[in-house]
């Protein structure tokens, strides 16, 4: 199972909402041969760590692709740039954030590069809630825990709500 997290908390003149932008980003991935097999609902979430920036819209997709993990990550970064993502400051507001969460059961830890599964996915309710929605059976390849189990272990305080 290949899983990608999506997020946005800035819009542009081209897109009125983050939901529109994220839906279009999925279409951009599909035009590059990355099939979105399942998509979660959209969720609104407070920034992590807490800040005064706008809330995010987040979701998770399961994808199918012939690309290997490093090539898929490179494509995700290309699509982010296409939508105006500037990687200047960690945890800054962004038009588009595409994170490769997991690539089957593969484990990567390349210094300064690809780390799989995503090193902070188990800490983020805004990832775990949509992940549980579309892949409740998925297990973290290192810990063996499901998204639901990891979600239950989170400390309170992360504000996340499903968008109706």
């Amino acid at each position: 199972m290949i899983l990608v997290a999506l997020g946005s908390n800035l819009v542009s003149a081209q897109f009125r909402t983050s939901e529109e932008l994220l839906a279009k980003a999925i279409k951009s991935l599909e035009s590059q041969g990355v099939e979105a097999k399942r998509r979660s609902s959209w969720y609104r979430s407070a920034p992590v760590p807490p800040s005064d920036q706008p809330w995010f819209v987040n979701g998770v997709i399961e994808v199918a692709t012939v690309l290997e993990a490093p090539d898929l990550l490179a494509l995700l970064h290309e699509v982010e740039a296409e939508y105006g993502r500037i990687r200047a400051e960690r945890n800054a507001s962004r038009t588009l954030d595409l994170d490769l969460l997991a690539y089957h059961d593969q484990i990567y830890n390349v210094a300064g590069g690809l780390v799989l599964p995503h090193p902070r996915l188990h800490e983020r309710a805004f990832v775990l809630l949509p992940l549980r929605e579309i892949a409740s059976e998925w297990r973290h390849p290192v810990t063996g825990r499901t998204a639901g189990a990891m979600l239950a272990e989170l400390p309170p305080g992360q504000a996340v709500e499903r968008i109706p």
Side-chain angles (χ1 to χ4, degrees):
M1 189 175 293
I2 304 171
L3 299 163
V4 175
L6 304 96
S8 169
N9 74 337
L10 294 177
V11 294
S12 65
Q14 188 179 1
F15 301 102
R16 294 177 299 138
T17 67
S18 287
E19 293 94 321
E20 269 184 35
L21 189 147
L22 293 172
K24 183 66 175 169
I26 292 170
K27 290 194 180 305
S28 292
L29 288 171
E30 290 182 322
S31 75
Q32 296 291 321
V34 177
E35 175 193 358
K37 294 174 64 175
R38 290 190 279 182
R39 181 184 72 81
S40 72
S41 302
W42 298 127
Y43 290 78
R44 280 181 26 87
S45 64
V48 176
S51 71
D52 61 353
Q53 63 182 282
W55 278 42
F56 281 83
V57 174
N58 299 98
V60 170
I61 55 175
E62 177 190 356
V63 303
T65 181
V66 297
L67 296 174
E68 293 296 325
D71 298 322
L72 177 56
L73 181 63
L75 176 61
L76 296 177
H77 289 170
E78 287 172 23
V79 172
E80 285 178 342
E82 176 185 331
Y83 285 82
R85 169 79 186 266
I86 299 169
R87 292 179 174 270
E89 179 183 330
R90 187 174 176 162
N91 298 317
S93 293
R94 60 205 78 141
T95 54
L96 182 60
D97 187 22
L98 299 172
D99 287 334
L100 184 54
L101 299 176
Y103 192 94
H104 304 298
D105 288 336
Q106 293 183 10
I107 299 169
Y108 281 80
N109 196 351
V110 178
L114 180 60
V115 178
L116 286 175
H118 190 284
R120 289 174 299 284
L121 79 84
H122 65 284
E123 301 171 349
R124 298 173 168 174
F126 64 84
V127 170
L128 294 172
L129 279 165
L131 176 57
R132 180 181 67 181
E133 180 184 331
I134 67 161
S136 60
E137 73 284 1
W138 178 80
R139 292 189 173 274
H140 192 287
V142 175
T143 67
R145 296 184 326 214
T146 64
M150 290 183 279
L151 193 58
E153 295 169 0
L154 287 179
Q158 292 188 42
V160 181
E161 57 193 36
R162 188 174 177 180
I163 297 173

